[in-house]
Amino acid sequence: MASSVLVSVEAPQEYRIQEMTYDGTEILQPPYTMSENLARLASKVDFSLKEGESESDAKFQEQRESEHEPAFEPEPKQIRWPWENIRNRVAFALNECSVLLDVMKICKENKFMVLDSVQQAPVDKRPIVPFIAKKRHIAAAAHILMAGGDRLRNAQLEASENASGENPPNLLASQNSFDLQLLQLRHQWRLRKIGNVIVGDLSYKTVGSRYWQSGKFEVSKRTDSSEGEETLKVTIPPELDCQSFIHLLIRTDTTSDYKFGIDDNFGITLPANHPNPMNSFELKVDEQLSRAQTTLFCNELFAQLSREAIRLQSPIPHTVVGNTIDAILFPGVHLYICLARCPPPAPSVEGSNDPLRGDIYSVFEHSLHHMLYDSHYENLNLPAPHPTTAPIGLSKRRRLAGPEAHDVASLLQTTETETILERLLRMAKHWCLRQQSKNVIDEMAASCTDPVFIAHWNTLTHPWESSVRMNIYSAGYETSSRTAVVVHIEHNGLKVICRDGRVINLSYEPEHLWNFLELQVAQHQISAIHGLAKVMGWILLGSSYSSRTVGAGTDEIEGMKCLLMSPNGKVRVFMRCLSGGKFSVGIQSDCERLSSFLPLNPSSLNLSSQSPGSACASVNWDEMMGKNNVAKMEFLLTALSSSV
């Protein structure tokens, strides 16, 4: 019996194998969809066969044609999508039908295009026509040249007659023409045409201003202008059609001529006989625009100062009432900043007891305008350098804050900027202290004739810092005794540098400077007598001064003392310098020697007390011979030395 053999029968794959991976896994091709299957079958249909012709006949016909034609192998055309052959054949059939339709229309309707020859224009054989045309062109060019020459001649004549003061009516009419005046106005102001309206701008936004108020004005032609008048008419907003300016006043609490009130003229009351400059005469166009621009600038400046006054933190807060700012400089001293529409009457200096009145207000107003100009400039011109990878507007110090690891305090210092009002207050405070110091020095020089005061004020000063050098000397003894003191006047106090190098800080109170000057006078008198006694051979036994402190590092002198002894030791002179330059001098010696001082005037000695061995006498200093205290002391020491 034959052994059985196992035969494995496997059904064929229904789908083709698309890919086989490295691990032996077979990836089968997915089955066709109905549309894909239809496209695959349609691509196998040959639409070139005629009806009733089999495929064998078509192949036989192709073989016969291929025998007579040269053999060539056409390039296989790649089919991008299944219906491409059908689409190409249908498009070819459509083109043939379109050509057939065009041929039928031409045969039936006779619609076809004919190319006709273009006939050239006949040449004009008359030579007079181009001659006349050239003549006209030359005449037009000559007219243009003559008109230009006339305008140049009129301009030269106008310039010469304006220089001589004469102006004929025809040239004056040409000057006042609308176009010429508009051209001149455009050279000075920004103008542009919007539709049929000519609009100008008075604001400072192009130079860095950030003020909200608009400065638009309109330019039109005046219809009622006569010969010799301007033909331009400008329409300015009503809030700018006035004359405004910033007015500053420094007043004390005791001043009664200033009224802190608000009225229609912005805090400044005009007298009844004061004319209003806005209604007195008709202004020209340039003057109207300049006045309106000044008003806009003053409005911006006052708005900036008002914001800064409200935000500024000060011990005594500043107040803003209407169009007036009340800033406190010192206790009892106020700075008033007013936005005025009309110029106030000139203040009368006669009968005024205000020591702070002066001509410094115009300087302050000029400085205010320049500070606002500087702020406009800083808004446009950012600090250099301008790196490409950093934000624009930061200073170099703020850019280095990150790499150098600055703390919060350093960062806050970089963001702090001084406002316009703070700079104005510093200037006003410095001016007040400077005037006050000047008055104190003048009063001291007038009240104290001995010694002599000479003050040298520095002409090159800072807006909020100046200095004065005072030389104190006795007349006739300039080389032997001289005291120099330098006073630096700042905005919140004084800094004094003495002769010995000591630096003393004084407050804004005038009494402190007065007491310091009295101390310097007493020290100068004693030092001058020390030098005189040393030259004459007298011995200095001692010197001291008694004083009491009144504050801010200053002393009020009660007396400065000095004791001298003659070369032989038999006579002693005691002197005391009081405040105001007064002297008190006493002599101690034997009774016999004291009565034998022949050079002395007997009326100048007062025997106050006597003891068994000595006697003391006080000297009537006012009756002593000499033009100053040092000369009197020299005469006294000489008399005592000769009598001993």
Side-chain angles (χ1 to χ4, degrees):
M1 183 176 179
S3 61
S4 61
V5 178
L6 297 178
V7 178
S8 60
V9 179
E10 184 178 357
Q13 288 288 347
E14 185 179 359
Y15 306 109
R16 294 181 180 180
I17 298 175
Q18 182 179 2
E19 184 181 356
M20 182 176 291
T21 60
Y22 293 104
D23 57 354
T25 304
E26 297 178 354
I27 300 176
L28 302 180
Q29 184 178 5
Y32 292 107
T33 60
M34 295 182 65
S35 59
E36 292 177 351
N37 193 19
L38 178 61
R40 185 174 60 85
L41 296 176
S43 62
K44 297 180 180 181
V45 178
D46 189 4
F47 293 93
S48 62
L49 295 178
K50 298 180 181 179
E51 186 177 358
E53 185 179 0
S54 62
E55 294 183 0
S56 59
D57 297 338
K59 292 181 180 179
F60 178 74
Q61 186 69 20
E62 289 179 359
Q63 289 178 0
R64 291 185 60 185
E65 291 178 359
S66 61
E67 291 177 356
H68 299 283
E69 294 179 358
F72 68 94
E73 295 181 359
E75 296 181 358
K77 187 176 181 181
Q78 296 181 358
I79 299 176
R80 290 176 294 181
W81 57 295
W83 297 90
E84 185 176 4
N85 293 333
I86 299 174
R87 197 267 305 171
N88 294 338
R89 291 187 176 92
V90 172
F92 181 73
L94 178 61
N95 292 336
E96 291 182 351
C97 293
S98 299
V99 173
L100 180 60
L101 180 62
D102 293 339
V103 172
M104 293 174 64
K105 285 184 178 181
I106 291 173
C107 295
K108 182 180 179 180
E109 301 177 1
N110 294 328
K111 292 183 178 181
F112 52 88
M113 182 174 62
V114 179
L115 298 178
D116 295 336
S117 60
V118 179
Q119 185 178 4
Q120 297 181 357
V123 180
D124 191 3
K125 298 181 180 180
R126 295 175 298 174
I128 191 64
V129 176
F131 176 75
I132 294 175
K134 292 180 180 179
K135 184 178 180 180
R136 289 179 180 177
H137 296 333
I138 294 175
H143 177 71
I144 294 174
L145 294 176
M146 292 297 294
D150 292 339
R151 285 196 297 269
L152 293 176
R153 191 181 302 106
N154 293 336
Q156 186 177 5
L157 181 62
E158 175 188 349
S160 60
E161 290 180 352
N162 287 338
S164 61
E166 299 178 358
N167 207 348
N170 55 350
L171 292 180
L172 187 60
S174 63
Q175 288 179 1
N176 294 330
S177 63
F178 177 76
D179 296 335
L180 182 59
Q181 292 183 8
L182 186 62
L183 180 61
Q184 294 176 356
L185 188 66
R186 189 179 180 183
H187 291 168
Q188 300 177 1
W189 305 94
R190 296 191 303 272
L191 300 177
R192 63 176 180 175
K193 189 174 183 181
I194 302 177
N196 296 328
V197 181
I198 301 175
V199 180
D201 190 9
L202 296 173
S203 64
Y204 290 85
K205 294 182 180 179
T206 56
V207 294
S209 176
R210 299 176 181 175
Y211 190 48
W212 60 269
Q213 189 173 3
S214 175
K216 302 293 184 180
F217 66 93
E218 182 180 346
V219 181
S220 59
K221 187 175 182 180
R222 181 176 296 178
T223 57
D224 56 348
S225 62
S226 59
E227 185 177 358
E229 295 183 357
E230 292 185 346
T231 58
L232 290 181
K233 179 183 178 181
V234 293
T235 304
I236 302 175
E239 61 271 9
L240 299 180
D241 193 9
C242 60
Q243 184 177 1
S244 300
F245 65 98
I246 300 296
H247 186 64
L248 280 78
L249 293 172
I250 298 178
R251 291 293 180 266
T252 58
D253 292 339
T254 58
T255 306
S256 59
D257 56 348
Y258 180 82
K259 296 181 180 180
F260 183 69
I262 304 300
D263 52 9
D264 295 337
N265 288 323
F266 290 82
I268 297 178
T269 304
L270 298 179
N273 57 357
H274 186 76
N276 193 343
M278 293 184 292
N279 301 326
S280 58
F281 56 90
E282 186 71 20
L283 296 177
K284 296 183 179 180
V285 174
D286 291 340
E287 295 177 355
Q288 291 180 6
L289 296 179
S290 299
R291 188 183 64 179
Q293 192 177 41
T294 303
T295 301
L296 180 63
F297 184 82
C298 293
N299 292 343
E300 179 183 0
L301 179 58
F302 187 81
Q304 180 71 17
L305 293 176
S306 301
R307 289 193 300 267
E308 294 174 358
I310 295 174
R311 297 175 184 174
L312 186 61
Q313 300 293 334
S314 61
I316 303 177
H318 309 302
T319 58
V320 181
V321 181
N323 290 327
T324 304
I325 301 174
D326 181 11
I328 308 298
L329 300 179
F330 299 106
V333 182
H334 300 260
L335 172 64
Y336 296 100
I337 307 173
C338 306
L339 178 61
R341 287 188 181 273
C342 299
S348 58
V349 184
E350 299 179 359
S352 176
N353 297 324
D354 189 3
L356 299 178
R357 186 184 299 277
D359 298 333
I360 196 64
Y361 303 124
S362 59
V363 178
F364 287 163
E365 295 166 5
H366 181 74
S367 301
L368 269 179
H369 290 192
H370 272 277
M371 284 188 281
L372 187 57
Y373 289 145
D374 294 340
S375 65
H376 290 171
Y377 180 81
E378 292 175 358
N379 292 336
L380 287 183
N381 299 273
L382 301 176
H386 299 157
T388 57
T389 59
I392 298 177
L394 295 179
S395 61
K396 183 178 180 181
R397 186 177 179 184
R398 293 183 63 183
R399 291 193 186 100
L400 297 177
E404 295 182 358
H406 289 181
D407 54 358
V408 178
S410 301
L411 292 176
L412 291 178
Q413 290 179 359
T414 58
T415 57
E416 291 179 357
T417 56
E418 193 174 22
T419 60
I420 298 178
L421 183 60
E422 290 177 346
R423 283 180 282 179
L424 177 63
L425 293 180
R426 291 178 65 180
M427 292 175 60
K429 287 181 179 180
H430 168 70
W431 181 80
C432 292
L433 286 180
R434 188 173 183 270
Q435 292 296 112
Q436 181 177 274
S437 303
K438 181 180 178 181
N439 295 335
V440 170
I441 294 173
D442 292 343
E443 291 178 4
M444 176 61 69
S447 61
C448 182
T449 57
D450 182 28
V452 180
F453 274 84
I454 296 180
H456 299 277
W457 290 89
N458 193 0
T459 56
L460 300 177
T461 60
H462 196 266
W464 42 76
E465 185 175 353
S466 59
S467 62
V468 55
R469 178 185 177 89
M470 292 183 294
N471 292 326
I472 306 174
Y473 65 91
S474 299
Y477 301 88
E478 293 86 354
T479 57
S480 60
S481 61
R482 180 185 293 268
T483 302
V485 179
V486 179
V487 180
H488 293 281
I489 304 173
E490 300 176 352
H491 66 281
N492 55 358
L494 307 177
K495 184 173 68 173
V496 182
I497 302 177
C498 302
R499 180 181 180 182
D500 54 357
R502 291 183 297 118
V503 178
I504 301 176
N505 294 321
L506 305 179
S507 66
Y508 56 85
E509 295 292 341
E511 293 81 6
H512 297 169
L513 180 60
W514 181 271
N515 295 334
F516 173 78
L517 293 179
E518 285 187 346
L519 176 62
Q520 293 299 313
V521 169
Q523 289 182 353
H524 171 76
Q525 297 282 16
I526 297 301
S527 62
I529 293 174
H530 287 178
L532 179 63
K534 184 178 180 180
V535 172
M536 298 181 65
W538 285 66
I539 301 173
L540 176 64
L541 297 180
S543 63
S544 63
Y545 70 93
S546 59
S547 62
R548 60 185 181 89
T549 303
V550 296
T554 59
D555 297 333
E556 183 179 354
I557 300 175
E558 294 182 352
M560 201 160 187
K561 305 172 185 178
C562 179
L563 181 60
L564 300 177
M565 185 177 64
S566 61
N568 57 4
K570 296 180 180 180
V571 181
R572 296 183 180 182
V573 178
F574 171 80
M575 64 193 70
R576 182 180 180 184
C577 181
L578 303 176
S579 61
K582 298 179 181 180
F583 260 74
S584 175
V585 181
I587 303 174
Q588 181 182 7
S589 181
D590 296 339
C591 297
E592 298 177 358
R593 292 188 177 89
L594 190 61
S595 60
S596 62
F597 291 159
L598 298 178
L600 296 179
N601 188 358
S603 61
S604 64
L605 293 178
N606 295 326
L607 297 177
S608 58
S609 62
Q610 295 183 2
S611 60
S614 62
C616 296
S618 62
V619 180
N620 293 330
W621 195 250
D622 295 336
E623 298 181 3
M624 287 291 296
M625 297 177 59
K627 59 181 180 180
N628 52 34
N629 294 327
V630 180
K632 292 179 181 180
M633 183 58 65
E634 182 182 5
F635 179 75
L636 177 61
L637 297 181
T638 303
L640 293 176
S641 299
S642 61
S643 300
V644 174

